[in-house]
PDB file of all heavy atoms in Angstrom:
ATOM      1  N   TYR A  62    -222.156 115.966-120.956  1.00  0.00           N
ATOM      2  CA  TYR A  62    -223.150 115.510-120.047  1.00  0.00           C
ATOM      3  C   TYR A  62    -222.866 116.063-118.590  1.00  0.00           C
ATOM      4  O   TYR A  62    -222.996 115.339-117.629  1.00  0.00           O
ATOM      5  CB  TYR A  62    -223.284 114.027-120.003  1.00  0.00           C
ATOM      6  CG  TYR A  62    -223.621 113.387-121.243  1.00  0.00           C
ATOM      7  CD1 TYR A  62    -223.302 112.083-121.559  1.00  0.00           C
ATOM      8  CD2 TYR A  62    -224.395 114.035-122.270  1.00  0.00           C
ATOM      9  CE1 TYR A  62    -223.614 111.427-122.763  1.00  0.00           C
ATOM     10  CE2 TYR A  62    -224.815 113.485-123.455  1.00  0.00           C
ATOM     11  CZ  TYR A  62    -224.417 112.139-123.679  1.00  0.00           C
ATOM     12  OH  TYR A  62    -224.777 111.545-124.819  1.00  0.00           O
ATOM     13  N   TYR A  66    -226.870 121.291-110.054  1.00  0.00           N
ATOM     14  CA  TYR A  66    -227.899 121.137-109.145  1.00  0.00           C
ATOM     15  C   TYR A  66    -227.868 122.182-108.050  1.00  0.00           C
ATOM     16  O   TYR A  66    -226.757 122.491-107.553  1.00  0.00           O
ATOM     17  CB  TYR A  66    -227.974 119.720-108.473  1.00  0.00           C
ATOM     18  CG  TYR A  66    -228.051 118.661-109.498  1.00  0.00           C
ATOM     19  CD1 TYR A  66    -226.918 118.109-110.124  1.00  0.00           C
ATOM     20  CD2 TYR A  66    -229.281 118.166-109.923  1.00  0.00           C
ATOM     21  CE1 TYR A  66    -227.083 117.171-111.089  1.00  0.00           C
ATOM     22  CE2 TYR A  66    -229.425 117.200-110.842  1.00  0.00           C
ATOM     23  CZ  TYR A  66    -228.285 116.683-111.483  1.00  0.00           C
ATOM     24  OH  TYR A  66    -228.405 115.753-112.412  1.00  0.00           O
ATOM     25  N   GLN A  68    -229.101 123.263-104.192  1.00  0.00           N
ATOM     26  CA  GLN A  68    -229.709 122.615-103.030  1.00  0.00           C
ATOM     27  C   GLN A  68    -229.742 123.682-101.921  1.00  0.00           C
ATOM     28  O   GLN A  68    -228.800 124.198-101.424  1.00  0.00           O
ATOM     29  CB  GLN A  68    -228.785 121.431-102.581  1.00  0.00           C
ATOM     30  CG  GLN A  68    -229.382 120.668-101.423  1.00  0.00           C
ATOM     31  CD  GLN A  68    -228.544 119.506-100.976  1.00  0.00           C
ATOM     32  OE1 GLN A  68    -227.335 119.552-100.949  1.00  0.00           O
ATOM     33  NE2 GLN A  68    -229.219 118.437-100.508  1.00  0.00           N
ATOM     34  N   LYS A  72    -233.183 120.707 -98.049  1.00  0.00           N
ATOM     35  CA  LYS A  72    -234.043 120.278 -99.274  1.00  0.00           C
ATOM     36  C   LYS A  72    -233.277 119.384-100.191  1.00  0.00           C
ATOM     37  O   LYS A  72    -232.029 119.265-100.130  1.00  0.00           O
ATOM     38  CB  LYS A  72    -234.385 121.566-100.032  1.00  0.00           C
ATOM     39  CG  LYS A  72    -235.219 122.568 -99.237  1.00  0.00           C
ATOM     40  CD  LYS A  72    -236.574 121.998 -98.860  1.00  0.00           C
ATOM     41  CE  LYS A  72    -237.480 123.045 -98.227  1.00  0.00           C
ATOM     42  NZ  LYS A  72    -238.783 122.474 -97.808  1.00  0.00           N
ATOM     43  N   ALA A  73    -234.032 118.725-101.067  1.00  0.00           N
ATOM     44  CA  ALA A  73    -233.332 117.894-102.098  1.00  0.00           C
ATOM     45  C   ALA A  73    -232.753 118.704-103.181  1.00  0.00           C
ATOM     46  O   ALA A  73    -233.183 119.799-103.429  1.00  0.00           O
ATOM     47  CB  ALA A  73    -234.403 116.923-102.667  1.00  0.00           C
ATOM     48  N   PRO A  74    -231.688 118.185-103.845  1.00  0.00           N
ATOM     49  CA  PRO A  74    -231.142 118.912-105.013  1.00  0.00           C
ATOM     50  C   PRO A  74    -232.235 119.119-106.124  1.00  0.00           C
ATOM     51  O   PRO A  74    -233.182 118.267-106.237  1.00  0.00           O
ATOM     52  CB  PRO A  74    -230.076 117.901-105.490  1.00  0.00           C
ATOM     53  CG  PRO A  74    -229.714 117.148-104.289  1.00  0.00           C
ATOM     54  CD  PRO A  74    -230.987 116.923-103.585  1.00  0.00           C
ATOM     55  N   LEU A  76    -232.429 120.120-110.281  1.00  0.00           N
ATOM     56  CA  LEU A  76    -231.775 120.241-111.582  1.00  0.00           C
ATOM     57  C   LEU A  76    -231.887 121.667-112.141  1.00  0.00           C
ATOM     58  O   LEU A  76    -233.047 122.185-112.285  1.00  0.00           O
ATOM     59  CB  LEU A  76    -232.294 119.195-112.587  1.00  0.00           C
ATOM     60  CG  LEU A  76    -231.681 119.282-113.932  1.00  0.00           C
ATOM     61  CD1 LEU A  76    -230.203 118.863-113.946  1.00  0.00           C
ATOM     62  CD2 LEU A  76    -232.497 118.355-114.903  1.00  0.00           C
ATOM     63  N   TYR A  79    -228.540 121.028-117.550  1.00  0.00           N
ATOM     64  CA  TYR A  79    -228.143 119.721-117.986  1.00  0.00           C
ATOM     65  C   TYR A  79    -227.534 119.792-119.418  1.00  0.00           C
ATOM     66  O   TYR A  79    -227.667 120.818-120.090  1.00  0.00           O
ATOM     67  CB  TYR A  79    -229.323 118.742-118.029  1.00  0.00           C
ATOM     68  CG  TYR A  79    -230.390 119.015-119.047  1.00  0.00           C
ATOM     69  CD1 TYR A  79    -230.419 118.355-120.291  1.00  0.00           C
ATOM     70  CD2 TYR A  79    -231.381 119.949-118.782  1.00  0.00           C
ATOM     71  CE1 TYR A  79    -231.355 118.593-121.259  1.00  0.00           C
ATOM     72  CE2 TYR A  79    -232.378 120.216-119.749  1.00  0.00           C
ATOM     73  CZ  TYR A  79    -232.365 119.501-120.989  1.00  0.00           C
ATOM     74  OH  TYR A  79    -233.278 119.760-121.914  1.00  0.00           O
ATOM     75  N   ASP A  80    -226.700 118.760-119.742  1.00  0.00           N
ATOM     76  CA  ASP A  80    -226.042 118.705-121.077  1.00  0.00           C
ATOM     77  C   ASP A  80    -225.240 120.033-121.216  1.00  0.00           C
ATOM     78  O   ASP A  80    -225.298 120.631-122.263  1.00  0.00           O
ATOM     79  CB  ASP A  80    -227.057 118.517-122.213  1.00  0.00           C
ATOM     80  CG  ASP A  80    -227.632 117.107-122.237  1.00  0.00           C
ATOM     81  OD1 ASP A  80    -227.177 116.239-121.413  1.00  0.00           O
ATOM     82  OD2 ASP A  80    -228.484 116.878-123.095  1.00  0.00           O
ATOM     83  N   TYR A 117    -224.034 122.032-106.958  1.00  0.00           N
ATOM     84  CA  TYR A 117    -223.177 120.906-107.307  1.00  0.00           C
ATOM     85  C   TYR A 117    -223.146 120.705-108.738  1.00  0.00           C
ATOM     86  O   TYR A 117    -224.170 120.719-109.466  1.00  0.00           O
ATOM     87  CB  TYR A 117    -223.703 119.667-106.650  1.00  0.00           C
ATOM     88  CG  TYR A 117    -223.645 119.672-105.102  1.00  0.00           C
ATOM     89  CD1 TYR A 117    -224.729 120.174-104.370  1.00  0.00           C
ATOM     90  CD2 TYR A 117    -222.550 119.194-104.421  1.00  0.00           C
ATOM     91  CE1 TYR A 117    -224.667 120.243-102.974  1.00  0.00           C
ATOM     92  CE2 TYR A 117    -222.461 119.234-103.041  1.00  0.00           C
ATOM     93  CZ  TYR A 117    -223.499 119.761-102.304  1.00  0.00           C
ATOM     94  OH  TYR A 117    -223.401 119.728-100.936  1.00  0.00           O
ATOM     95  N   THR A 126    -219.263 101.572-118.612  1.00  0.00           N
ATOM     96  CA  THR A 126    -220.472 101.275-117.859  1.00  0.00           C
ATOM     97  C   THR A 126    -220.998 102.605-117.335  1.00  0.00           C
ATOM     98  O   THR A 126    -220.363 103.690-117.445  1.00  0.00           O
ATOM     99  CB  THR A 126    -220.289 100.322-116.734  1.00  0.00           C
ATOM    100  OG1 THR A 126    -221.495  99.941-116.200  1.00  0.00           O
ATOM    101  CG2 THR A 126    -219.372 100.880-115.652  1.00  0.00           C
ATOM    102  N   PHE A 127    -222.153 102.572-116.730  1.00  0.00           N
ATOM    103  CA  PHE A 127    -222.724 103.821-116.169  1.00  0.00           C
ATOM    104  C   PHE A 127    -221.827 104.241-115.071  1.00  0.00           C
ATOM    105  O   PHE A 127    -221.427 103.493-114.175  1.00  0.00           O
ATOM    106  CB  PHE A 127    -224.164 103.523-115.660  1.00  0.00           C
ATOM    107  CG  PHE A 127    -225.171 103.422-116.700  1.00  0.00           C
ATOM    108  CD1 PHE A 127    -225.874 102.261-116.913  1.00  0.00           C
ATOM    109  CD2 PHE A 127    -225.431 104.468-117.568  1.00  0.00           C
ATOM    110  CE1 PHE A 127    -226.791 102.181-117.902  1.00  0.00           C
ATOM    111  CE2 PHE A 127    -226.418 104.410-118.523  1.00  0.00           C
ATOM    112  CZ  PHE A 127    -227.083 103.184-118.727  1.00  0.00           C
ATOM    113  N   TYR A 128    -221.606 105.562-114.948  1.00  0.00           N
ATOM    114  CA  TYR A 128    -220.851 106.171-113.853  1.00  0.00           C
ATOM    115  C   TYR A 128    -220.954 107.640-113.845  1.00  0.00           C
ATOM    116  O   TYR A 128    -220.825 108.267-114.852  1.00  0.00           O
ATOM    117  CB  TYR A 128    -219.343 105.805-113.920  1.00  0.00           C
ATOM    118  CG  TYR A 128    -218.573 106.020-112.692  1.00  0.00           C
ATOM    119  CD1 TYR A 128    -218.438 105.058-111.752  1.00  0.00           C
ATOM    120  CD2 TYR A 128    -218.077 107.302-112.449  1.00  0.00           C
ATOM    121  CE1 TYR A 128    -217.766 105.259-110.537  1.00  0.00           C
ATOM    122  CE2 TYR A 128    -217.376 107.524-111.202  1.00  0.00           C
ATOM    123  CZ  TYR A 128    -217.250 106.550-110.285  1.00  0.00           C
ATOM    124  OH  TYR A 128    -216.617 106.777-109.146  1.00  0.00           O
ATOM    125  N   TRP A 129    -221.228 108.148-112.661  1.00  0.00           N
ATOM    126  CA  TRP A 129    -221.346 109.600-112.496  1.00  0.00           C
ATOM    127  C   TRP A 129    -220.444 110.046-111.448  1.00  0.00           C
ATOM    128  O   TRP A 129    -220.190 109.384-110.425  1.00  0.00           O
ATOM    129  CB  TRP A 129    -222.815 109.978-112.150  1.00  0.00           C
ATOM    130  CG  TRP A 129    -223.732 109.984-113.395  1.00  0.00           C
ATOM    131  CD1 TRP A 129    -224.079 110.949-114.192  1.00  0.00           C
ATOM    132  CD2 TRP A 129    -224.403 108.816-113.877  1.00  0.00           C
ATOM    133  NE1 TRP A 129    -224.911 110.584-115.153  1.00  0.00           N
ATOM    134  CE2 TRP A 129    -225.089 109.225-114.978  1.00  0.00           C
ATOM    135  CE3 TRP A 129    -224.400 107.456-113.454  1.00  0.00           C
ATOM    136  CZ2 TRP A 129    -225.843 108.325-115.725  1.00  0.00           C
ATOM    137  CZ3 TRP A 129    -225.140 106.621-114.154  1.00  0.00           C
ATOM    138  CH2 TRP A 129    -225.873 107.014-115.302  1.00  0.00           C
ATOM    139  N   PHE A 131    -219.786 113.640-108.951  1.00  0.00           N
ATOM    140  CA  PHE A 131    -220.255 114.959-108.487  1.00  0.00           C
ATOM    141  C   PHE A 131    -219.067 115.832-108.068  1.00  0.00           C
ATOM    142  O   PHE A 131    -218.025 115.324-107.644  1.00  0.00           O
ATOM    143  CB  PHE A 131    -221.228 114.832-107.327  1.00  0.00           C
ATOM    144  CG  PHE A 131    -222.597 114.374-107.673  1.00  0.00           C
ATOM    145  CD1 PHE A 131    -222.847 113.050-107.605  1.00  0.00           C
ATOM    146  CD2 PHE A 131    -223.560 115.247-108.056  1.00  0.00           C
ATOM    147  CE1 PHE A 131    -224.150 112.548-107.965  1.00  0.00           C
ATOM    148  CE2 PHE A 131    -224.830 114.901-108.325  1.00  0.00           C
ATOM    149  CZ  PHE A 131    -225.174 113.491-108.319  1.00  0.00           C
TER     150      PHE A 131
ATOM    151  N   TRP B  53    -234.222 104.525-115.469  1.00  0.00           N
ATOM    152  CA  TRP B  53    -233.316 104.153-114.376  1.00  0.00           C
ATOM    153  C   TRP B  53    -233.618 105.046-113.121  1.00  0.00           C
ATOM    154  O   TRP B  53    -234.055 106.166-113.268  1.00  0.00           O
ATOM    155  CB  TRP B  53    -231.855 104.325-114.698  1.00  0.00           C
ATOM    156  CG  TRP B  53    -231.385 103.450-115.813  1.00  0.00           C
ATOM    157  CD1 TRP B  53    -231.566 103.660-117.197  1.00  0.00           C
ATOM    158  CD2 TRP B  53    -230.579 102.248-115.716  1.00  0.00           C
ATOM    159  NE1 TRP B  53    -230.965 102.594-117.864  1.00  0.00           N
ATOM    160  CE2 TRP B  53    -230.376 101.747-116.974  1.00  0.00           C
ATOM    161  CE3 TRP B  53    -230.089 101.565-114.559  1.00  0.00           C
ATOM    162  CZ2 TRP B  53    -229.592 100.589-117.209  1.00  0.00           C
ATOM    163  CZ3 TRP B  53    -229.372 100.411-114.841  1.00  0.00           C
ATOM    164  CH2 TRP B  53    -229.177  99.904-116.123  1.00  0.00           C
ATOM    165  N   GLN B  59    -225.480 111.653 -99.153  1.00  0.00           N
ATOM    166  CA  GLN B  59    -224.968 113.026 -98.717  1.00  0.00           C
ATOM    167  C   GLN B  59    -224.692 112.866 -97.201  1.00  0.00           C
ATOM    168  O   GLN B  59    -225.661 112.866 -96.444  1.00  0.00           O
ATOM    169  CB  GLN B  59    -225.918 114.119 -99.084  1.00  0.00           C
ATOM    170  CG  GLN B  59    -225.332 115.463 -98.698  1.00  0.00           C
ATOM    171  CD  GLN B  59    -226.135 116.636 -99.243  1.00  0.00           C
ATOM    172  OE1 GLN B  59    -227.389 116.606 -99.208  1.00  0.00           O
ATOM    173  NE2 GLN B  59    -225.470 117.684 -99.644  1.00  0.00           N
ATOM    174  N   LYS B  63    -221.615 117.323 -96.058  1.00  0.00           N
ATOM    175  CA  LYS B  63    -220.750 116.982 -97.202  1.00  0.00           C
ATOM    176  C   LYS B  63    -221.459 117.039 -98.504  1.00  0.00           C
ATOM    177  O   LYS B  63    -222.684 117.452 -98.540  1.00  0.00           O
ATOM    178  CB  LYS B  63    -220.160 115.641 -97.020  1.00  0.00           C
ATOM    179  CG  LYS B  63    -219.371 115.433 -95.723  1.00  0.00           C
ATOM    180  CD  LYS B  63    -218.113 116.319 -95.704  1.00  0.00           C
ATOM    181  CE  LYS B  63    -217.248 116.096 -94.471  1.00  0.00           C
ATOM    182  NZ  LYS B  63    -216.084 117.031 -94.454  1.00  0.00           N
ATOM    183  N   GLY B  64    -220.803 116.663 -99.540  1.00  0.00           N
ATOM    184  CA  GLY B  64    -221.350 116.759-100.876  1.00  0.00           C
ATOM    185  C   GLY B  64    -222.097 115.500-101.323  1.00  0.00           C
ATOM    186  O   GLY B  64    -222.359 114.552-100.567  1.00  0.00           O
ATOM    187  N   LEU B  65    -222.523 115.443-102.592  1.00  0.00           N
ATOM    188  CA  LEU B  65    -223.246 114.361-103.085  1.00  0.00           C
ATOM    189  C   LEU B  65    -222.364 113.319-103.670  1.00  0.00           C
ATOM    190  O   LEU B  65    -221.330 113.582-104.340  1.00  0.00           O
ATOM    191  CB  LEU B  65    -224.178 114.877-104.215  1.00  0.00           C
ATOM    192  CG  LEU B  65    -225.136 115.976-103.790  1.00  0.00           C
ATOM    193  CD1 LEU B  65    -225.818 116.549-105.061  1.00  0.00           C
ATOM    194  CD2 LEU B  65    -226.154 115.568-102.846  1.00  0.00           C
ATOM    195  N   ARG B  79    -226.395  98.694-111.511  1.00  0.00           N
ATOM    196  CA  ARG B  79    -224.968  99.091-111.619  1.00  0.00           C
ATOM    197  C   ARG B  79    -224.616  99.878-110.289  1.00  0.00           C
ATOM    198  O   ARG B  79    -225.376 100.671-109.877  1.00  0.00           O
ATOM    199  CB  ARG B  79    -224.728  99.999-112.829  1.00  0.00           C
ATOM    200  CG  ARG B  79    -225.428  99.535-114.104  1.00  0.00           C
ATOM    201  CD  ARG B  79    -224.794  98.238-114.681  1.00  0.00           C
ATOM    202  NE  ARG B  79    -225.514  97.781-115.846  1.00  0.00           N
ATOM    203  CZ  ARG B  79    -225.299  98.162-117.064  1.00  0.00           C
ATOM    204  NH1 ARG B  79    -224.343  99.089-117.336  1.00  0.00           N
ATOM    205  NH2 ARG B  79    -226.015  97.728-118.103  1.00  0.00           N
ATOM    206  N   PRO B  82    -218.047 101.902-107.842  1.00  0.00           N
ATOM    207  CA  PRO B  82    -217.022 101.016-107.164  1.00  0.00           C
ATOM    208  C   PRO B  82    -216.947 101.314-105.631  1.00  0.00           C
ATOM    209  O   PRO B  82    -216.644 100.419-104.883  1.00  0.00           O
ATOM    210  CB  PRO B  82    -215.772 101.401-107.910  1.00  0.00           C
ATOM    211  CG  PRO B  82    -216.150 101.806-109.204  1.00  0.00           C
ATOM    212  CD  PRO B  82    -217.463 102.561-109.024  1.00  0.00           C
ATOM    213  N   TYR B 115    -230.724 110.047-101.078  1.00  0.00           N
ATOM    214  CA  TYR B 115    -231.735 110.471-102.088  1.00  0.00           C
ATOM    215  C   TYR B 115    -231.853 109.469-103.180  1.00  0.00           C
ATOM    216  O   TYR B 115    -230.872 108.919-103.654  1.00  0.00           O
ATOM    217  CB  TYR B 115    -231.334 111.813-102.713  1.00  0.00           C
ATOM    218  CG  TYR B 115    -231.329 113.012-101.758  1.00  0.00           C
ATOM    219  CD1 TYR B 115    -230.020 113.438-101.203  1.00  0.00           C
ATOM    220  CD2 TYR B 115    -232.411 113.699-101.459  1.00  0.00           C
ATOM    221  CE1 TYR B 115    -230.012 114.529-100.355  1.00  0.00           C
ATOM    222  CE2 TYR B 115    -232.438 114.751-100.628  1.00  0.00           C
ATOM    223  CZ  TYR B 115    -231.200 115.215-100.087  1.00  0.00           C
ATOM    224  OH  TYR B 115    -231.180 116.257 -99.190  1.00  0.00           O
ATOM    225  N   LEU B 119    -233.427 108.923-113.544  1.00  0.00           N
ATOM    226  CA  LEU B 119    -232.351 109.178-114.541  1.00  0.00           C
ATOM    227  C   LEU B 119    -233.057 109.383-115.919  1.00  0.00           C
ATOM    228  O   LEU B 119    -233.543 108.401-116.430  1.00  0.00           O
ATOM    229  CB  LEU B 119    -231.389 108.055-114.591  1.00  0.00           C
ATOM    230  CG  LEU B 119    -230.123 108.269-115.403  1.00  0.00           C
ATOM    231  CD1 LEU B 119    -229.288 109.407-114.759  1.00  0.00           C
ATOM    232  CD2 LEU B 119    -229.300 106.957-115.419  1.00  0.00           C
ATOM    233  N   SER B 122    -230.995 108.448-119.598  1.00  0.00           N
ATOM    234  CA  SER B 122    -229.815 107.701-119.121  1.00  0.00           C
ATOM    235  C   SER B 122    -228.661 108.599-118.728  1.00  0.00           C
ATOM    236  O   SER B 122    -227.527 108.124-118.645  1.00  0.00           O
ATOM    237  CB  SER B 122    -229.359 106.641-120.187  1.00  0.00           C
ATOM    238  OG  SER B 122    -230.426 105.746-120.507  1.00  0.00           O
ATOM    239  N   ARG B 123    -228.868 109.910-118.464  1.00  0.00           N
ATOM    240  CA  ARG B 123    -227.687 110.688-118.055  1.00  0.00           C
ATOM    241  C   ARG B 123    -228.002 111.897-117.195  1.00  0.00           C
ATOM    242  O   ARG B 123    -227.095 112.490-116.700  1.00  0.00           O
ATOM    243  CB  ARG B 123    -227.101 111.228-119.392  1.00  0.00           C
ATOM    244  CG  ARG B 123    -227.872 112.174-120.157  1.00  0.00           C
ATOM    245  CD  ARG B 123    -227.175 112.591-121.416  1.00  0.00           C
ATOM    246  NE  ARG B 123    -227.882 113.686-122.076  1.00  0.00           N
ATOM    247  CZ  ARG B 123    -228.855 113.520-122.969  1.00  0.00           C
ATOM    248  NH1 ARG B 123    -229.278 112.281-123.201  1.00  0.00           N
ATOM    249  NH2 ARG B 123    -229.407 114.584-123.561  1.00  0.00           N
ATOM    250  N   ILE B 124    -229.342 112.147-116.936  1.00  0.00           N
ATOM    251  CA  ILE B 124    -229.627 113.366-116.151  1.00  0.00           C
ATOM    252  C   ILE B 124    -230.536 112.971-114.965  1.00  0.00           C
ATOM    253  O   ILE B 124    -231.566 112.319-115.194  1.00  0.00           O
ATOM    254  CB  ILE B 124    -230.375 114.382-117.022  1.00  0.00           C
ATOM    255  CG1 ILE B 124    -229.660 114.704-118.295  1.00  0.00           C
ATOM    256  CG2 ILE B 124    -230.730 115.621-116.240  1.00  0.00           C
ATOM    257  CD1 ILE B 124    -230.528 115.259-119.411  1.00  0.00           C
ATOM    258  N   PHE B 125    -230.032 113.376-113.770  1.00  0.00           N
ATOM    259  CA  PHE B 125    -230.933 113.054-112.635  1.00  0.00           C
ATOM    260  C   PHE B 125    -231.946 114.178-112.518  1.00  0.00           C
ATOM    261  O   PHE B 125    -231.629 115.302-111.978  1.00  0.00           O
ATOM    262  CB  PHE B 125    -230.125 112.957-111.337  1.00  0.00           C
ATOM    263  CG  PHE B 125    -229.097 111.804-111.403  1.00  0.00           C
ATOM    264  CD1 PHE B 125    -227.786 111.980-111.552  1.00  0.00           C
ATOM    265  CD2 PHE B 125    -229.660 110.531-111.244  1.00  0.00           C
ATOM    266  CE1 PHE B 125    -226.888 110.894-111.574  1.00  0.00           C
ATOM    267  CE2 PHE B 125    -228.759 109.425-111.296  1.00  0.00           C
ATOM    268  CZ  PHE B 125    -227.428 109.591-111.458  1.00  0.00           C
ATOM    269  N   GLY B 129    -236.217 112.430-104.966  1.00  0.00           N
ATOM    270  CA  GLY B 129    -237.023 112.253-103.783  1.00  0.00           C
ATOM    271  C   GLY B 129    -236.636 113.231-102.704  1.00  0.00           C
ATOM    272  O   GLY B 129    -235.695 114.014-102.892  1.00  0.00           O
TER     273      GLY B 129
END
Side-chain angles (χ1 to χ4, degrees):
Chain A
Y62 296 154
Y66 300 88
Q68 187 179 35
K72 300 294 187 183
L76 177 66
Y79 67 97
D80 290 355
Y117 293 91
T126 186
F127 285 118
Y128 194 92
W129 284 265
F131 284 93
Chain B
W53 294 80
Q59 186 168 38
K63 302 297 185 181
L65 305 172
R79 315 290 175 90
Y115 294 100
L119 190 63
S122 299
R123 65 183 189 275
I124 306 158
F125 295 107

